[in-house]
Amino acid sequence: MAAEQTETRKRSVVKALTYRVVIVCLDFLAIYLFTHKIEVALGFMIVSNIYTTVGYFLHERIWARIRWGTEPSAGWRSDGRNRRRV
């Protein structure tokens, strides 16, 4: 049986950063293809990825606290106290 797992803040940060690396590359490519200007593509890439990274991180942390749509693992406590087999 699988243990109930929660996501740490460190994991959320790493997920957000790796996701943003991919999006940074896609943002740069899309803006460069539209404008053919490296400076415009770089500027957009930097600004948009700062606020969207923060937004993604906050979104992940909020959803980590929402229990709607989840089910406790069989054999594990779901009362928020010690997460151990009962």
Side-chain angles (χ1 to χ4, degrees):
M1 254 180 235
E4 183 178 334
Q5 296 180 349
T6 58
E7 189 165 286
T8 64
R9 284 189 176 92
K10 184 177 181 177
R11 179 180 165 89
S12 291
V13 168
V14 171
K15 278 176 55 180
L17 292 175
T18 57
Y19 174 79
R20 293 318 304 171
V21 167
V22 172
I23 297 305
V24 162
C25 294
L26 294 174
D27 280 351
F28 177 83
L29 180 63
I31 298 302
Y32 179 75
L33 290 175
F34 283 117
T35 65
H36 300 286
K37 295 181 181 180
I38 291 176
E39 298 83 12
V40 172
L42 286 172
F44 176 82
M45 181 184 75
I46 292 167
V47 171
S48 71
N49 284 285
I50 290 171
Y51 68 79
T52 55
T53 300
V54 172
Y56 177 80
F57 175 78
L58 294 173
H59 181 263
E60 282 286 312
R61 296 313 302 164
I62 290 168
W63 272 100
R65 295 175 180 260
I66 296 172
R67 296 293 162 224
W68 172 80
T70 63
E71 296 177 0
S73 300
W76 291 85
R77 295 180 78 146
S78 62
D79 60 5
R81 293 185 290 160
N82 295 328
R83 299 206 189 280
R84 58 185 169 86
R85 282 191 166 279
V86 289

